[in-house]
Coordinates of all heavy atoms in Angstrom, one line a residue:
M1 N 5.9 6.5 -1.3 CA 6.9 5.7 -2.1 C 6.2 4.5 -2.7 O 5.2 4.0 -2.3 CB 8.0 5.1 -1.1 CG 7.5 4.2 0.0 SD 8.7 3.5 1.1 CE 9.4 2.2 0.0
S2 N 6.8 4.0 -3.8 CA 6.3 2.8 -4.4 C 7.5 2.1 -4.8 O 8.6 2.6 -4.9 CB 5.3 3.1 -5.6 OG 6.1 3.9 -6.5
C3 N 7.3 0.8 -5.1 CA 8.5 -0.1 -5.4 C 8.9 0.2 -6.8 O 8.1 0.7 -7.6 CB 8.2 -1.5 -5.2 SG 7.2 -2.3 -6.4
P4 N 10.1 -0.1 -7.2 CA 10.6 0.2 -8.5 C 9.9 -0.7 -9.6 O 10.0 -0.4 -10.8 CB 12.1 -0.1 -8.5 CG 12.2 -1.1 -7.3 CD 11.2 -0.6 -6.4
T5 N 9.1 -1.6 -9.2 CA 8.5 -2.7 -10.0 C 9.5 -3.6 -10.7 O 10.6 -3.2 -10.9 CB 7.5 -2.1 -11.1 OG1 8.3 -1.6 -12.2 CG2 6.6 -1.1 -10.6
C6 N 9.0 -4.8 -10.9 CA 9.9 -5.8 -11.5 C 9.0 -6.9 -12.1 O 7.8 -6.7 -12.1 CB 10.9 -6.3 -10.5 SG 10.1 -7.5 -9.3
G7 N 9.6 -8.0 -12.5 CA 8.8 -9.1 -13.1 C 7.8 -9.7 -12.2 O 6.9 -10.3 -12.6
R8 N 7.9 -9.4 -10.9 CA 6.9 -9.9 -9.9 C 5.7 -9.1 -9.7 O 4.7 -9.5 -9.1 CB 7.5 -10.0 -8.5 CG 8.6 -11.1 -8.4 CD 9.0 -11.1 -6.9 NE 10.2 -12.0 -6.6 CZ 10.1 -13.2 -6.3 NH1 8.9 -13.8 -6.2 NH2 11.1 -13.9 -6.0
T9 N 5.7 -7.9 -10.3 CA 4.6 -6.9 -10.1 C 3.3 -7.5 -10.5 O 3.2 -8.0 -11.6 CB 4.9 -5.6 -10.9 OG1 6.2 -5.2 -10.5 CG2 3.9 -4.6 -10.5
R10 N 2.3 -7.4 -9.6 CA 1.0 -8.0 -9.9 C -0.1 -7.1 -9.9 O -1.3 -7.5 -10.0 CB 0.7 -9.1 -8.8 CG 1.6 -10.3 -8.8 CD 1.2 -11.1 -10.0 NE 2.1 -12.3 -10.2 CZ 3.2 -12.3 -10.9 NH1 3.5 -11.2 -11.6 NH2 4.0 -13.3 -11.1
I11 N 0.1 -5.8 -9.9 CA -1.0 -4.8 -9.9 C -0.6 -3.6 -10.8 O 0.6 -3.5 -11.2 CB -1.3 -4.2 -8.5 CG1 0.0 -3.8 -7.8 CG2 -2.1 -5.2 -7.7 CD1 -0.2 -3.1 -6.5
D12 N -1.5 -2.8 -11.1 CA -1.3 -1.6 -11.9 C -0.7 -0.6 -10.9 O -1.4 0.3 -10.3 CB -2.6 -1.1 -12.4 CG -2.5 0.3 -13.0 OD1 -1.3 0.8 -13.3 OD2 -3.5 1.0 -13.1
L13 N 0.6 -0.8 -10.6 CA 1.3 0.0 -9.6 C 1.2 1.5 -9.8 O 0.9 2.3 -8.9 CB 2.7 -0.4 -9.6 CG 3.4 0.0 -8.2 CD1 3.0 -1.0 -7.2 CD2 4.8 0.2 -8.3
V14 N 1.4 2.0 -11.1 CA 1.4 3.4 -11.3 C 0.0 4.0 -11.1 O -0.1 5.0 -10.4 CB 1.9 3.7 -12.7 CG1 1.8 5.2 -13.1 CG2 3.4 3.2 -12.9
G15 N -0.9 3.2 -11.6 CA -2.3 3.7 -11.4 C -2.7 3.8 -10.0 O -3.3 4.8 -9.5
I16 N -2.3 2.8 -9.2 CA -2.7 2.7 -7.8 C -1.9 3.8 -7.0 O -2.5 4.5 -6.2 CB -2.5 1.3 -7.2 CG1 -3.5 0.4 -7.8 CG2 -2.6 1.4 -5.6 CD1 -3.4 -1.0 -7.3
A17 N -0.6 3.9 -7.3 CA 0.2 5.0 -6.7 C -0.4 6.4 -6.9 O -0.5 7.2 -6.0 CB 1.7 4.9 -7.1
N18 N -0.8 6.6 -8.2 CA -1.4 7.9 -8.5 C -2.7 8.1 -7.7 O -2.9 9.2 -7.2 CB -1.7 8.0 -10.0 CG -0.4 8.2 -10.8 OD1 0.6 8.6 -10.2 ND2 -0.5 7.9 -12.1
E19 N -3.5 7.1 -7.6 CA -4.8 7.2 -6.8 C -4.5 7.5 -5.4 O -5.1 8.4 -4.8 CB -5.6 5.9 -7.0 CG -7.0 6.0 -6.4 CD -7.7 4.7 -6.4 OE1 -7.4 3.8 -7.1 OE2 -8.8 4.7 -5.7
V20 N -3.5 6.8 -4.8 CA -3.2 7.0 -3.4 C -2.7 8.4 -3.2 O -3.1 9.2 -2.3 CB -2.1 6.0 -2.9 CG1 -1.5 6.4 -1.6 CG2 -2.7 4.6 -2.9
E21 N -1.9 8.9 -4.1 CA -1.3 10.2 -4.0 C -2.5 11.3 -4.1 O -2.5 12.2 -3.3 CB -0.4 10.5 -5.2 CG 0.7 11.6 -4.9 CD 1.8 11.4 -5.9 OE1 2.6 10.4 -5.8 OE2 2.0 12.4 -6.7
E22 N -3.3 11.0 -5.0 CA -4.5 11.9 -5.2 C -5.3 12.0 -3.9 O -5.7 13.1 -3.4 CB -5.3 11.3 -6.3 CG -6.4 12.2 -6.8 CD -5.9 13.3 -7.7 OE1 -4.8 13.2 -8.3 OE2 -6.7 14.3 -7.9
R23 N -5.6 10.9 -3.3 CA -6.5 10.8 -2.1 C -5.8 11.3 -0.9 O -6.4 11.6 0.1 CB -7.0 9.4 -2.0 CG -8.0 9.1 -3.1 CD -8.5 7.7 -3.0 NE -9.3 7.4 -1.8 CZ -10.0 6.2 -1.6 NH1 -10.0 5.4 -2.6 NH2 -10.7 6.0 -0.5
L24 N -4.4 11.3 -0.9 CA -3.7 11.8 0.2 C -3.4 13.3 0.1 O -2.8 13.9 1.0 CB -2.4 11.0 0.4 CG -2.6 9.6 1.0 CD1 -1.2 9.0 1.1 CD2 -3.2 9.6 2.3
R25 N -3.8 13.9 -0.9 CA -3.6 15.3 -1.1 C -4.3 16.0 0.0 O -5.5 15.7 0.2 CB -4.1 15.7 -2.5 CG -3.5 17.1 -2.9 CD -3.7 17.4 -4.3 NE -2.8 16.5 -5.1 CZ -3.0 16.2 -6.4 NH1 -4.1 16.7 -7.0 NH2 -2.2 15.5 -7.1
G26 N -3.6 16.9 0.7 CA -4.2 17.5 1.9 C -4.0 16.8 3.2 O -4.4 17.4 4.2
C27 N -3.5 15.6 3.1 CA -3.2 14.9 4.4 C -2.0 15.5 5.0 O -0.9 15.5 4.3 CB -3.0 13.4 4.1 SG -2.4 12.4 5.4
K28 N -2.1 15.9 6.2 CA -0.9 16.5 6.9 C -0.1 15.6 7.7 O 0.8 16.1 8.3 CB -1.4 17.7 7.7 CG -2.2 18.8 7.0 CD -1.2 19.9 6.4 CE -2.0 21.0 5.8 NZ -2.8 20.7 4.6
K29 N -0.5 14.4 7.7 CA 0.3 13.4 8.6 C 1.7 13.2 8.0 O 1.9 13.0 6.9 CB -0.5 12.1 8.7 CG -1.7 12.2 9.5 CD -2.4 10.9 9.6 CE -3.7 11.1 10.4 NZ -4.5 10.0 10.5
N30 N 2.7 13.2 9.0 CA 4.0 12.9 8.6 C 4.3 11.4 8.6 O 4.9 10.9 9.5 CB 5.0 13.7 9.5 CG 6.4 13.6 9.1 OD1 6.7 13.3 7.9 ND2 7.3 13.7 10.0
I31 N 3.8 10.8 7.5 CA 3.9 9.3 7.5 C 4.5 8.9 6.1 O 4.4 9.7 5.2 CB 2.6 8.6 7.7 CG1 1.5 9.2 6.8 CG2 2.2 8.7 9.1 CD1 0.2 8.4 6.7
K32 N 5.1 7.7 6.1 CA 5.6 7.2 4.9 C 4.7 6.1 4.4 O 4.4 5.1 5.2 CB 7.0 6.5 5.2 CG 7.9 6.7 4.1 CD 9.3 6.3 4.5 CE 10.3 6.8 3.5 NZ 11.7 6.4 3.9
V33 N 4.1 6.2 3.3 CA 3.1 5.3 2.7 C 3.8 4.5 1.6 O 4.4 5.1 0.7 CB 1.9 6.0 2.3 CG1 0.9 5.1 1.6 CG2 1.3 6.8 3.4
A34 N 3.6 3.2 1.6 CA 4.3 2.4 0.5 C 3.2 1.7 -0.4 O 2.2 1.2 0.2 CB 5.1 1.4 1.1
V35 N 3.5 1.7 -1.7 CA 2.6 1.0 -2.6 C 3.6 0.0 -3.3 O 4.5 0.4 -4.0 CB 1.9 1.9 -3.6 CG1 1.1 1.0 -4.6 CG2 1.0 2.9 -2.9
M36 N 3.4 -1.3 -3.0 CA 4.3 -2.3 -3.5 C 3.6 -3.2 -4.5 O 2.5 -3.6 -4.4 CB 4.9 -3.1 -2.3 CG 5.5 -2.2 -1.2 SD 6.8 -1.1 -1.8 CE 8.2 -2.3 -1.8
G37 N 4.5 -3.7 -5.4 CA 3.9 -4.5 -6.5 C 3.6 -5.9 -6.2 O 2.8 -6.6 -7.0
C38 N 4.2 -6.5 -5.2 CA 3.8 -8.0 -5.0 C 3.8 -8.2 -3.5 O 4.4 -7.6 -2.7 CB 4.9 -8.9 -5.7 SG 6.5 -8.9 -4.9
V39 N 3.0 -9.3 -3.2 CA 2.9 -9.7 -1.8 C 4.0 -10.4 -1.2 O 4.2 -10.5 0.0 CB 1.6 -10.4 -1.5 CG1 0.3 -9.6 -1.8 CG2 1.6 -11.7 -2.4
V40 N 4.8 -11.0 -2.1 CA 6.0 -11.8 -1.6 C 7.0 -11.0 -1.0 O 7.5 -11.2 0.2 CB 6.5 -12.6 -2.8 CG1 7.6 -13.6 -2.2 CG2 5.5 -13.4 -3.5
N41 N 7.5 -9.9 -1.7 CA 8.6 -9.1 -1.2 C 8.2 -7.7 -0.7 O 8.9 -7.0 0.0 CB 9.6 -9.0 -2.3 CG 10.3 -10.3 -2.6 OD1 10.3 -11.2 -1.9 ND2 10.8 -10.4 -3.8
G42 N 7.0 -7.3 -1.1 CA 6.5 -6.0 -0.9 C 6.6 -5.5 0.6 O 7.3 -4.5 0.9
P43 N 6.0 -6.3 1.5 CA 6.1 -5.8 3.0 C 7.5 -5.7 3.5 O 7.8 -4.8 4.2 CB 5.3 -6.9 3.7 CG 4.3 -7.4 2.6 CD 5.1 -7.4 1.3
G44 N 8.3 -6.7 3.1 CA 9.7 -6.7 3.6 C 10.5 -5.5 3.0 O 11.3 -4.9 3.7
E45 N 10.3 -5.2 1.7 CA 11.0 -4.2 1.1 C 10.6 -2.8 1.6 O 11.3 -1.8 1.4 CB 10.9 -4.2 -0.4 CG 11.7 -5.4 -1.1 CD 11.5 -5.4 -2.6 OE1 11.3 -4.4 -3.3 OE2 11.6 -6.5 -3.2
A46 N 9.4 -2.8 2.2 CA 8.9 -1.5 2.6 C 8.9 -1.4 4.2 O 8.0 -0.7 4.7 CB 7.5 -1.2 2.0
K47 N 9.8 -2.1 4.8 CA 9.8 -2.1 6.3 C 9.8 -0.7 6.9 O 9.3 -0.5 8.0 CB 11.1 -2.9 6.7 CG 10.8 -4.3 7.1 CD 11.8 -4.8 8.1 CE 13.2 -5.1 7.6 NZ 13.2 -6.3 6.7
E48 N 10.5 0.2 6.3 CA 10.6 1.6 6.9 C 9.3 2.4 6.7 O 9.2 3.5 7.2 CB 11.8 2.3 6.3 CG 11.7 2.8 4.9 CD 12.0 1.8 3.9 OE1 11.9 0.6 4.1 OE2 12.3 2.2 2.7
A49 N 8.4 1.9 5.9 CA 7.1 2.6 5.7 C 6.2 2.5 6.9 O 6.1 1.4 7.5 CB 6.4 2.2 4.4
D50 N 5.5 3.5 7.3 CA 4.5 3.4 8.4 C 3.4 2.5 8.1 O 2.8 1.8 8.9 CB 4.0 4.8 8.8 CG 5.2 5.7 9.2 OD1 5.8 5.4 10.3 OD2 5.5 6.6 8.5
I51 N 3.0 2.6 6.8 CA 1.8 1.9 6.3 C 1.9 1.6 4.9 O 2.6 2.4 4.2 CB 0.5 2.6 6.7 CG1 -0.7 1.7 6.6 CG2 0.3 3.9 5.8 CD1 -1.0 0.9 7.8
G52 N 1.4 0.5 4.4 CA 1.5 0.2 3.0 C 0.6 -0.8 2.5 O 0.0 -1.5 3.3
I53 N 0.6 -1.0 1.1 CA -0.2 -2.1 0.5 C 0.7 -2.8 -0.5 O 1.6 -2.2 -1.0 CB -1.5 -1.5 -0.2 CG1 -1.2 -0.3 -1.1 CG2 -2.5 -1.2 0.9 CD1 -2.4 0.2 -1.9
A54 N 0.4 -4.1 -0.7 CA 1.0 -4.8 -1.7 C 0.0 -5.6 -2.5 O -0.9 -6.1 -1.9 CB 2.1 -5.7 -1.1
G55 N 0.2 -5.7 -3.8 CA -0.8 -6.4 -4.7 C -0.2 -7.7 -5.1 O 1.0 -7.8 -5.0
G56 N -1.0 -8.6 -5.5 CA -2.2 -8.6 -6.1 C -2.7 -10.0 -6.6 O -2.9 -10.9 -5.8
D57 N -2.8 -10.2 -7.9 CA -3.6 -11.3 -8.4 C -5.0 -11.4 -7.8 O -5.4 -12.4 -7.2 CB -2.8 -12.7 -8.2 CG -1.7 -12.9 -9.2 OD1 -1.8 -12.3 -10.3 OD2 -0.8 -13.6 -8.9
G58 N -5.6 -10.3 -7.8 CA -7.0 -10.3 -7.3 C -7.2 -9.9 -5.8 O -8.2 -9.6 -5.3
C59 N -6.0 -10.0 -5.1 CA -6.1 -9.6 -3.7 C -4.8 -9.0 -3.3 O -3.8 -9.2 -4.0 CB -6.5 -10.8 -2.7 SG -5.3 -12.0 -2.6
G60 N -4.8 -8.3 -2.2 CA -3.6 -7.6 -1.7 C -3.5 -7.6 -0.2 O -4.4 -8.1 0.5
L61 N -2.4 -7.1 0.3 CA -2.1 -7.0 1.7 C -2.0 -5.6 2.1 O -1.5 -4.8 1.4 CB -0.8 -7.7 2.0 CG -0.6 -9.2 1.6 CD1 0.8 -9.6 1.9 CD2 -1.6 -10.1 2.5
V62 N -2.4 -5.4 3.4 CA -2.2 -4.1 4.0 C -1.1 -4.4 5.1 O -1.2 -5.4 5.8 CB -3.5 -3.6 4.7 CG1 -3.2 -2.3 5.4 CG2 -4.6 -3.4 3.7
F63 N -0.1 -3.7 5.1 CA 1.0 -3.9 6.1 C 1.4 -2.6 6.8 O 1.2 -1.6 6.3 CB 2.1 -4.6 5.5 CG 2.8 -3.9 4.4 CD1 3.8 -3.0 4.6 CD2 2.4 -4.1 3.0 CE1 4.4 -2.3 3.5 CE2 2.9 -3.4 2.0 CZ 4.0 -2.5 2.2
K64 N 1.9 -2.8 8.0 CA 2.4 -1.7 8.9 C 3.8 -2.0 9.3 O 4.1 -3.1 9.9 CB 1.4 -1.7 10.1 CG 1.3 -0.4 10.8 CD 0.2 -0.6 11.9 CE -0.1 0.7 12.4 NZ -1.4 0.6 13.3
K65 N 4.7 -1.2 8.9 CA 6.1 -1.3 9.3 C 6.6 -2.8 9.0 O 7.3 -3.4 9.8 CB 6.4 -1.0 10.7 CG 6.1 0.5 11.0 CD 6.7 0.9 12.4 CE 6.3 2.3 12.8 NZ 6.9 3.4 12.1
G66 N 6.3 -3.3 7.8 CA 6.7 -4.6 7.4 C 5.9 -5.8 7.9 O 6.1 -6.9 7.4
E67 N 5.0 -5.5 8.8 CA 4.2 -6.6 9.3 C 2.8 -6.6 8.7 O 2.1 -5.6 8.6 CB 3.9 -6.4 10.9 CG 5.1 -6.2 11.7 CD 5.6 -7.6 12.2 OE1 4.8 -8.5 12.4 OE2 6.8 -7.8 12.3
V68 N 2.4 -7.8 8.1 CA 1.2 -7.9 7.5 C 0.0 -7.8 8.4 O 0.0 -8.5 9.4 CB 1.1 -9.2 6.6 CG1 -0.3 -9.4 6.0 CG2 2.2 -9.3 5.6
L69 N -0.9 -6.9 8.1 CA -2.1 -6.7 9.0 C -3.2 -7.7 8.6 O -3.7 -8.4 9.3 CB -2.6 -5.3 9.0 CG -1.7 -4.2 9.5 CD1 -2.4 -2.8 9.4 CD2 -1.4 -4.5 11.0
Y70 N -3.6 -7.6 7.3 CA -4.6 -8.5 6.7 C -4.6 -8.4 5.2 O -3.9 -7.6 4.6 CB -6.0 -8.1 7.3 CG -6.4 -6.6 7.2 CD1 -6.8 -6.0 6.0 CD2 -6.2 -5.8 8.3 CE1 -7.1 -4.7 5.9 CE2 -6.5 -4.4 8.2 CZ -6.9 -3.9 7.0 OH -7.2 -2.6 7.0
K71 N -5.5 -9.3 4.7 CA -5.6 -9.4 3.2 C -6.9 -8.8 2.7 O -7.9 -8.9 3.5 CB -5.7 -10.9 3.0 CG -5.2 -11.5 1.7 CD -5.1 -12.9 1.8 CE -5.2 -13.6 0.4 NZ -5.1 -15.0 0.4
V72 N -6.9 -8.2 1.6 CA -8.2 -7.6 1.1 C -8.3 -7.9 -0.4 O -7.3 -8.0 -1.0 CB -8.3 -6.1 1.4 CG1 -8.6 -5.7 2.8 CG2 -7.1 -5.3 0.8
P73 N -9.5 -7.9 -0.9 CA -9.7 -8.0 -2.4 C -9.0 -6.7 -3.0 O -9.0 -5.7 -2.4 CB -11.2 -8.0 -2.6 CG -11.8 -8.1 -1.3 CD -10.8 -7.8 -0.2
E74 N -8.5 -7.0 -4.2 CA -7.7 -5.9 -4.9 C -8.5 -4.6 -5.0 O -7.9 -3.5 -4.8 CB -7.3 -6.4 -6.3 CG -6.2 -5.5 -6.9 CD -5.7 -6.1 -8.2 OE1 -5.7 -7.3 -8.3 OE2 -5.4 -5.3 -9.1
E75 N -9.8 -4.7 -5.3 CA -10.6 -3.4 -5.4 C -10.8 -2.7 -4.1 O -11.1 -1.5 -4.1 CB -11.9 -3.7 -6.1 CG -12.9 -4.6 -5.4 CD -12.5 -6.1 -5.7 OE1 -11.5 -6.5 -6.3 OE2 -13.4 -7.0 -5.4
R76 N -10.5 -3.3 -3.0 CA -10.6 -2.7 -1.7 C -9.3 -2.2 -1.2 O -9.3 -1.5 -0.1 CB -11.2 -3.7 -0.6 CG -12.6 -4.0 -0.8 CD -13.5 -3.1 0.2 NE -12.9 -3.1 1.6 CZ -12.6 -2.0 2.3 NH1 -12.9 -0.8 1.8 NH2 -12.1 -2.1 3.5
L77 N -8.3 -2.4 -1.9 CA -6.9 -2.2 -1.4 C -6.7 -0.7 -1.0 O -6.2 -0.4 0.1 CB -5.9 -2.6 -2.5 CG -4.5 -3.1 -2.1 CD1 -4.6 -4.0 -1.0 CD2 -3.9 -3.7 -3.3
V78 N -7.0 0.2 -1.9 CA -6.8 1.6 -1.6 C -7.7 2.1 -0.5 O -7.2 2.9 0.4 CB -7.0 2.5 -2.9 CG1 -6.7 3.9 -2.6 CG2 -5.9 2.0 -4.0
D79 N -9.0 1.7 -0.5 CA -9.9 2.1 0.6 C -9.3 1.6 1.9 O -9.4 2.3 2.9 CB -11.2 1.4 0.4 CG -12.0 2.2 -0.8 OD1 -11.6 3.3 -1.1 OD2 -13.0 1.6 -1.3
A80 N -8.8 0.4 1.9 CA -8.3 -0.2 3.2 C -7.1 0.6 3.7 O -7.0 0.9 4.9 CB -8.0 -1.7 3.0
L81 N -6.3 1.0 2.7 CA -5.1 1.8 3.1 C -5.5 3.1 3.7 O -5.0 3.6 4.7 CB -4.3 2.0 1.8 CG -3.0 2.9 1.9 CD1 -2.0 2.3 2.9 CD2 -2.4 3.2 0.6
M82 N -6.5 3.8 3.1 CA -7.0 5.0 3.6 C -7.5 4.9 5.0 O -7.4 5.8 5.8 CB -8.1 5.6 2.6 CG -7.5 6.0 1.3 SD -6.2 7.2 1.3 CE -5.2 6.6 -0.1
E83 N -8.3 3.9 5.2 CA -8.9 3.6 6.6 C -7.7 3.5 7.6 O -7.8 4.0 8.7 CB -9.7 2.3 6.6 CG -11.1 2.6 5.9 CD -11.8 1.3 5.6 OE1 -11.4 0.2 6.1 OE2 -12.7 1.3 4.7
E84 N -6.7 2.8 7.2 CA -5.6 2.6 8.1 C -4.8 3.9 8.4 O -4.4 4.2 9.5 CB -4.6 1.5 7.7 CG -5.1 0.1 7.7 CD -5.6 -0.4 9.0 OE1 -5.0 0.0 10.0 OE2 -6.6 -1.0 9.1
I85 N -4.7 4.7 7.3 CA -4.0 6.0 7.5 C -4.8 6.9 8.4 O -4.2 7.6 9.2 CB -3.8 6.6 6.1 CG1 -2.7 5.8 5.3 CG2 -3.4 8.1 6.2 CD1 -2.5 6.3 3.9
E86 N -6.1 6.8 8.3 CA -7.0 7.6 9.2 C -6.7 7.2 10.7 O -6.8 8.1 11.5 CB -8.5 7.5 8.9 CG -8.9 8.6 7.9 CD -10.2 8.4 7.3 OE1 -11.1 8.0 8.1 OE2 -10.4 8.6 6.1
K87 N -6.5 6.0 10.9 CA -6.3 5.5 12.3 C -4.9 5.9 12.9 O -4.7 5.8 14.1 CB -6.4 4.0 12.3 CG -7.8 3.4 12.1 CD -7.8 2.0 12.4 CE -8.6 1.2 11.5 NZ -8.3 -0.2 11.5
L88 N -4.0 6.2 12.0 CA -2.6 6.5 12.5 C -2.5 7.8 13.3 O -3.3 8.7 13.1 CB -1.6 6.6 11.3 CG -1.3 5.3 10.6 CD1 -0.4 5.5 9.4 CD2 -0.7 4.2 11.5
Ligands
SF4_101 S1 7.9 -5.3 -4.2 FE1 7.7 -7.1 -5.5 S2 7.2 -6.1 -7.5 FE2 8.0 -4.5 -6.2 S3 10.2 -4.5 -6.8 FE3 10.0 -5.7 -5.0 S4 9.8 -7.8 -5.8 FE4 9.4 -6.4 -7.4

């Protein structure tokens, strides 16, 4: 899932969502992954997701069920998400 985007969106949401989808192809885990446009509301709006990321302005957050795990530079966002998904 990804957020509907709005004026707060701080990342290339469509690009990132596509990349995540691409990299999760073949992943058989029954999990809900969220890609959210901003760090302010993203984690809260994606509470029901097992894992997710929110951008940006150069850095983003990785969160799990609405709880922020840590902050990463924007270019590490998708890699960090993949690492967390592997751990689930
Ligand atoms: S997560 Fe942020 S960018 Fe996405 S819809 Fe919500 S407020 Fe807007």
Side-chain angles (χ1 to χ4, degrees):
M1 62 178 281
S2 58
C3 78
T5 76
C6 72
R8 289 184 189 268
T9 309
R10 291 288 176 269
I11 47 172
D12 166 22
L13 198 84
V14 176
I16 291 180
N18 285 342
E19 186 185 345
V20 168
E21 204 162 295
E22 192 76 21
R23 289 176 64 170
L24 283 179
R25 194 164 292 158
C27 170
K28 298 273 188 296
K29 291 183 180 173
N30 184 22
I31 49 170
K32 216 171 191 180
V33 179
V35 179
M36 308 300 282
C38 74
V39 294
V40 185
N41 296 335
E45 285 181 29
K47 263 208 282 290
E48 76 277 22
D50 298 295
I51 194 83
I53 49 176
D57 279 338
C59 66
L61 297 176
V62 179
F63 58 88
K64 204 172 190 171
K65 296 195 190 286
E67 302 272 329
V68 174
L69 295 180
Y70 49 80
K71 204 168 158 182
V72 288
E74 196 172 329
E75 61 275 12
R76 282 264 314 132
L77 210 44
V78 177
D79 286 340
L81 176 66
M82 294 302 145
E83 284 162 20
E84 291 303 323
I85 290 174
E86 267 170 42
K87 287 191 221 160
L88 290 175

